[in-house]
């Protein structure tokens, strides 16, 4: 039986507050953790399927021309080679997140250097790799194509344009103003687990063991790519070794494995090699962002402008949404925003962790730091003075907002007021500086379903095709079910990552825990009502704890109430009027201390703190972990991360973990996280909001602002590598 819930009104009853098991919010370990750290969790490319053979994909050597496999027949005769496949159904690039249909297909024409245009299949991986490396790809009738965003044709994104009041007049009349351009490079998700798929057919039915984030969409994307009905496709993805947006949509290896398996009548494994992950999955677009701030003598904003240029392949509609938080973060009645999309023949741009805010909030926070310096007030105080009463564009109320508390509490926790004076900040050859920045991220509830079964033995089972990409889904859904049904966590089994299960929202957009968790909550509420009916009491009069039911001054074992029956309910949640009635967002603040070497310009982050408010925290340990990861991302954005494109042909010059510099242990100091108590009745019946991406949104700015504080060098071209710092010393 399906229990349907639409979020049309705020959930003011806060039922979780009435429960007694004490699971929700507790810092519980992830139940699958021991499997992962002992190597016994089976990831996509680790399944042992009888008769399996191996495929290796082949890349285009340029960004234009008809693809010709010059020595295809010779390669097909190499030892162990079973097939050399160039099929019109192969993907040009991955699908965007929630695309729900095939992306652009066809390997016959090269669109970017590194595009995967063929797959070679052999008995062993080594044979397939050797043959793929031996396959010569030639491009015929090519032309020079744009790879530089500065000179490429741009398409204004009219739906992103805002012109409210008169920003030009506000800038002219302002006592203090900032008008600066900031640039950020492309970033790679760089998940630890490369994209991999194992495809096998039984008649007309396809099973794909893959590494994906949003299975209900991925199934439809795969079916559409192959020209078959989605009912004939099953995707299994119980464990995902990181995604960060790069596994939201279907990627080329999945379709290649499915085509090859169908042709050969055998299971086929295709895993992207690390350079192919960098060259042919998703990048965050580079950005050029102009920020204009107009303020009075006290630093109160009268004008706010944010104009940006991002890029993508021809035919792709995704444009890095850098303006998202600018619409509501700060006041200013005169507002102007615009977004241009440059058309480039580089690899596809798409979602990388916190698309939009990761780089959009970052440059806004740099501009706010510059304004604070001009006004001559503390950067925290400047932000406090510019928190809008309501959404500054729509006039809508905020659903819940502990932005001020995050700024003030974070400053206390870091010791911001006690930071040393300028004369005390040199330690030998190291210049010490302090910086801060705000955090903000939009919040959303998405359609999601889950089945919860209360079994005769008093155990519960949660089933949904939701994924756990390292975020803690297994733990959180078990906690919600255990809390609602009064069961210890070890008496709740959670089954994820299988498209034969009820379709969930998927892991993306920071909506996974709240959306899938709400579907579990809805199913459990229905189970509680059925239990109450059996006992002839009101559901709110039930107390469920430790497998026992207390009602009307009686206590019974849950099994005695069930009397050998099981109760199964399907919870189905949909977003409703609350999505548009108010402004929903999460907020926070970062504080950082850095040391910059006076001779070399090398920057070391010495400590960093983040305070965050994201509604009810469902698991304090996994939430803290997400914030730590986001802040680590911020260190990378600030100091090291950058996809280096060759300006001649747009190929990725640093397509490996050795040269794409993500932060390592030595780069990351002891980070501290504070999670503020909050409930958001408008967000979901859980009163929870998304936290998976909040920790990255603006984090880099705290570090670059600290570099300025230490050295007087303002780096507006990310990342702040030592050559850019030393140039100003």
């Amino acid at each position: 039986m399906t229990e349907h819930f639409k979020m049309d009104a705020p959930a003011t009853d806060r039922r979780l507050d009435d429960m007694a098991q004490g699971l929700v919010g507790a810092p519980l370990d992830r139940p699958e953790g021991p499997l992962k750290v002992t190597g016994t969790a089976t990831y996509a490319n680790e399944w042992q399927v009888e008769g399996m053979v191996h495929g290796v994909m082949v890349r285009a050597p340029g960004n234009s021309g008809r693809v010709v496999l010059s020595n295809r027949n010779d390669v097909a005769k190499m030892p162990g080679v079973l097939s050399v496949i160039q099929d019109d159904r192969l993907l040009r690039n991955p699908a965007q997140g929630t695309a729900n249909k095939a992306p652009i297909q066809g390997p016959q024409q090269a669109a970017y250097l590194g595009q995967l245009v063929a797959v070679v299949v052999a008995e062993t991986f080594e044979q397939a790799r050797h043959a793929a490396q031996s396959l010569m790809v030639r491009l015929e009738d090519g032309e020079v194509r744009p790879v530089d965003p500065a000179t490429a044709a741009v398409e204004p994104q009219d739906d992103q344009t805002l012109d409210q009041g008169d920003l030009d007049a506000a800038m002219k009349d302002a006592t203090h103003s900032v008008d600066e351009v900031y640039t950020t490079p492309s970033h790679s998700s760089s998940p630890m687990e490369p994209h991999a798929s194992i495809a096998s057919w039984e008649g007309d039915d396809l099973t794909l063991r893959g590494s994906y984030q949003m299975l209900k969409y991925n199934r439809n994307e795969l079916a559409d790519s192959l020209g078959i009905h989605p009912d004939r496709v099953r995707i299994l993805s119980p464990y995902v070794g990181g995604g960060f947006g790069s596994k939201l949509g279907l990627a080329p290896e999945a379709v290649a494995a499915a085509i090859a398996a169908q042709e050969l009548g055998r299971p086929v494994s295709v895993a992207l090699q690390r350079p192919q992950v960098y060259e042919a999955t998703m990048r965050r677009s580079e950005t050029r962002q102009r920020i204009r701030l107009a303020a009075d003598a006290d630093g109160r904003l009268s004008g706010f402008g944010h104009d940006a240029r991002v890029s993508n392949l021809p035919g792709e509609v995704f444009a890095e949404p850098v303006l998202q938080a600018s619409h509501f973060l700060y006041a200013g009645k005169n507002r102007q925003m615009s977004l241009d999309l440059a058309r480039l023949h580089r690899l596809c741009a798409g979602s990388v962790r916190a698309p939009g805010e990761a780089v959009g909030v970052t440059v806004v926070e740099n501009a706010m730091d510059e304004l604070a310096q001009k006004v001559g007030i503390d950067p925290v105080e400047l932000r406090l003075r510019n928190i809008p009463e309501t959404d500054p564009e729509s006039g809508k109320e905020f659903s819940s907002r502990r932005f001020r508390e995050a700024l003030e509490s974070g400053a206390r926790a870091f010791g911001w007021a006690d930071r040393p004076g300028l004369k005390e900040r040199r330690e030998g050859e190291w210049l010490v500086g302090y910086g801060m920045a705000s955090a903000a991220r939009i919040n959303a509830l998405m359609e999601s379903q889950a089945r919860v079964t209360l079994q005769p033995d008093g155990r519960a089972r949660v089933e949904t095709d939701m994924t756990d990409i390292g975020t803690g889904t297994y733990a959180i859904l078990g906690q919600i079910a255990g809390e609602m049904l009064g069961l210890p966590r070890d008496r709740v089994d959670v089954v994820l990552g299988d498209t034969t299960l009820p379709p969930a929202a998927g892991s993306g957009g920071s909506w996974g825990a709240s959306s899938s968790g709400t579907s579990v909550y809805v199913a459990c509420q229905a189970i509680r009502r059925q239990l109450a009916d059996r006992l002839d009491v009101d559901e709110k009069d039930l107390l469920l704890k430790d497998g026992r039911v207390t009602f009307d001054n009686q206590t019974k074992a849950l099994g005695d109430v069930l009397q050998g029956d099981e109760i199964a309910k399907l919870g189905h949640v949909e977003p409703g009027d609350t999505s548009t009635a108010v402004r929903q967002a999460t907020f926070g603040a970062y504080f950082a201390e850095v040391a910059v070497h006076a001779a070399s310009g090398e920057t070391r982050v010495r400590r960093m703190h983040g305070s965050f408010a994201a509604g009810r925290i469902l698991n304090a340990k996994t939430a803290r972990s997400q914030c730590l990861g986001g802040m680590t991302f911020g260190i990378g954005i600030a100091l090291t991360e950058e996809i280096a494109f060759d300006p001649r042909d747009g190929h990725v010059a640093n397509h490996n973990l050795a040269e794409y510099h993500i932060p390592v242990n030595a780069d990351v100091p002891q980070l501290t996280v504070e999670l503020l108590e909050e409930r958001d009745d408008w967000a979901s019946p859980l009163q929870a909001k998304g936290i998976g991406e909040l920790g990255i949104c603006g984090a880099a700015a705290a570090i670059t602002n600290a570099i300025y504080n230490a050295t007087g060098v303002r780096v507006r071209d990310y990342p702040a590598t030592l050559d850019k710092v030393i140039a100003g010393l």
Side-chain angles (χ1 to χ4, degrees), residues 202-437:
E202 291 186 17
D204 295 330
D205 294 329
L206 169 65
T207 297
L208 186 94
R209 294 168 171 86
S211 184
Y212 285 102
Q213 297 179 225
M214 307 181 105
L215 300 193
K216 72 176 180 183
Y217 301 107
N218 304 142
R219 182 180 70 165
N220 293 338
E221 291 154 6
L222 181 55
D224 191 33
S225 299
L226 299 172
I228 62 177
H229 195 278
D231 289 348
R232 310 229 68 102
V233 176
R234 181 187 187 188
I235 298 180
L236 294 168
S237 194
Y239 302 110
V240 180
F244 309 110
S246 71
K247 298 172 183 175
L248 290 176
L250 195 74
E253 96 292 334
V255 175
I259 291 171
Q262 190 173 41
E263 177 180 310
L264 297 172
R266 297 175 66 177
V268 174
S269 165
V270 179
L272 297 189
Q273 299 172 63
R274 183 63 65 181
Q276 294 173 337
V277 172
Y278 281 98
E279 292 181 336
T281 58
M282 288 293 188
R283 65 177 172 97
R284 189 196 307 279
S285 172
E286 78 297 323
T287 75
R288 181 187 186 276
Q289 302 181 65
R290 180 190 182 194
I291 305 296
R292 287 177 287 172
L293 303 175
D296 64 15
D298 295 326
R300 289 183 170 82
L301 289 170
S302 60
F304 188 106
H306 192 170
D307 301 286
R309 184 195 66 216
V310 299
S311 72
N312 212 336
L313 273 169
E316 290 296 311
V317 299
F318 179 87
E320 181 78 18
V322 294
L323 309 180
Q324 275 181 159
S326 293
H327 290 293
F328 61 83
L329 184 55
Y330 294 121
K333 65 180 181 179
N334 301 289
R335 308 174 76 82
Q336 184 174 303
M337 299 185 199
S338 67
L339 184 66
D340 288 338
L341 180 62
R343 291 301 186 184
L344 303 180
H345 285 268
R346 294 178 176 179
L347 77 144
C348 189
S351 295
V352 175
R353 192 175 188 181
E357 288 96 332
V359 288
V361 173
T362 291
V363 303
V364 168
E365 291 305 297
N366 286 141
M368 288 292 283
D369 197 67
E370 297 199 39
L371 182 61
Q373 190 266 334
K374 288 186 176 184
V375 177
I377 62 173
D378 187 282
V380 175
E381 178 58 30
L382 177 69
R383 288 158 174 83
L384 291 171
R385 291 181 186 181
N386 286 289
I387 296 175
E389 291 295 321
T390 60
D391 184 297
E393 295 168 17
S394 68
K396 293 178 181 178
E397 298 287 337
F398 286 88
S399 58
S400 71
R401 181 182 52 166
R402 301 204 70 195
F403 185 19
R404 178 179 299 275
E405 292 85 349
L407 289 164
E408 294 174 340
S409 183
R412 287 193 299 270
F414 183 79
W416 180 254
D418 301 324
R419 62 195 187 281
L422 287 173
K423 293 182 180 180
E424 302 166 318
R425 293 186 183 174
R426 182 155 187 153
E427 299 178 5
E429 294 185 331
W430 292 92
L431 307 173
V432 181
Y434 301 84
M436 62 79 53

Side-chain angles (χ1 to χ4, degrees), residues 60 62-63 92-93 110-116 279-280 313 345-347:
N63 64 23
R92 183 191 75 167
N93 51 264
Y112 58 96
L113 199 156
Q115 178 182 336
L116 300 175
E279 292 181 336
L313 273 169
H345 285 268
R346 294 178 176 179
L347 77 144

Side-chain angles (χ1 to χ4, degrees), residues 53-54 75-76 78-84 120-123 263-264 266:
V53 294
H54 301 269
V75 169
M78 292 178 67
V81 173
L82 299 171
S83 186
V84 179
V120 179
V121 186
E123 291 285 353
E263 177 180 310
L264 297 172
R266 297 175 66 177

